[in-house]
Amino acid sequence: MDDATPDLFGDVPTNSSGPARMALSPGATVLRGFALPSQAAVWEALRDVAAAAPFRHMATPGGLRMSVASTSCGTCGWVSDHRGYRYDAANPESGGPWPGMPAVFLELAREAAAVAGFDGYQPDTCLINRYEVGARLTLHQDKNERDFQSPIVSVSLGLPAVFLWGGAQRSDRPLRVSLVHGDVTVWGGPARLRFHGVLPIREGRHPWAGACRISLTFRKAG
Ligand SMILES: O=C(O)CCC(=O)C(=O)O
């Protein structure tokens, strides 16, 4: 991780944001605090991935700087530039492969998918987004993957966020869902192509992540 990253080991608040499991729509579930038991190992693995493939702000195809900083691990990584959005086996920053998917990431994603009703999940990539205060993701669909049969699994770490859970059309009014450190959101089946996004992150400080939020978003891209 870069030098904006604070100390790794501090006290981390427990998660108390409501029911253990919250259905958003058919095929979409928030698992409250699901990542907490493995948070220390996940955080350490995240530090290693970010050291091997540092976060950077990519450009949209239209030339705008994305407000989130990103990196990836797995057999391919999500990239965006003037050529469009896609997955690439090479990290454009280094020209080499992305770091491998840490076992603790894979295990967490597989377990969360199974609990949400998607057995046998085999993600091949994890997009890691770092949101500083004010960073956001506008409503979008995840559709650069070849495989829409597999779900998306997204782990929230650090500062809280308001997740927008939209419909099949961009114009559908989204639900606003609070996500806190350790929550895991899974969407697949009839929910796989729903629009979703993240409102601008509000100021705050998390004992591990400092003034930022990090999401790990697992996909089967290839
Ligand atoms: O940060 C999140 O919780 C969601 C990430 C996301 O929507 C994406 O990477 O497509």
Side-chain angles (χ1 to χ4, degrees):
M1 240 170 265
D2 65 24
D3 52 15
T5 304
D7 289 346
L8 286 179
F9 300 103
D11 293 334
V12 172
T14 54
N15 183 327
S16 58
S17 61
R21 189 181 173 128
M22 178 187 175
L24 298 181
S25 69
T29 311
V30 179
L31 304 172
R32 296 290 185 198
F34 194 83
L36 292 178
S38 53
Q39 60 183 341
V42 166
W43 193 258
E44 202 171 331
L46 170 60
R47 183 192 57 186
D48 292 344
V49 167
F55 285 100
R56 82 275 186 213
H57 293 268
M58 289 188 276
T60 66
L64 298 175
R65 178 185 191 261
M66 293 184 70
S67 64
V68 297
S70 308
T71 187
S72 285
C73 61
T75 56
C76 57
W78 186 84
V79 296
S80 172
D81 59 21
H82 65 283
R83 290 164 52 204
Y85 302 126
R86 63 191 179 282
Y87 287 92
D88 205 314
N91 177 354
E93 292 297 301
S94 65
W98 297 96
M101 174 99 67
V104 65
F105 279 24
L106 190 57
E107 201 173 322
L108 175 60
R110 285 175 57 80
E111 282 175 6
V115 167
F118 300 97
D119 279 327
Y121 187 42
Q122 282 293 355
D124 52 12
T125 184
C126 174
L127 170 64
I128 305 167
N129 285 331
R130 188 184 68 202
Y131 299 74
E132 277 140 30
V133 172
R136 65 187 182 131
L137 268 192
T138 54
L139 278 178
H140 64 282
Q141 294 168 295
D142 289 356
K143 55 178 191 184
N144 303 126
E145 301 74 30
R146 287 205 197 114
D147 180 338
F148 294 156
Q149 303 307 313
S150 295
I152 308 284
V153 172
S154 184
V155 178
S156 292
L157 299 172
L159 287 181
V162 177
F163 184 62
L164 298 175
W165 183 243
Q169 310 296 325
R170 188 185 297 279
S171 55
D172 292 338
R173 191 190 180 97
L175 285 176
R176 293 176 172 223
V177 183
S178 291
L179 295 179
V180 302
H181 179 86
D183 289 346
V184 179
T185 309
V186 182
W187 64 97
R192 174 62 181 76
L193 289 173
R194 295 277 289 242
F195 278 87
H196 58 282
V198 176
L199 287 184
I201 299 298
R202 296 175 65 174
E203 243 172 83
R205 190 146 200 95
H206 184 272
W208 285 8
C212 68
R213 169 178 190 258
I214 291 180
S215 65
L216 315 179
T217 305
F218 295 87
R219 293 152 180 164
K220 173 119 177 80

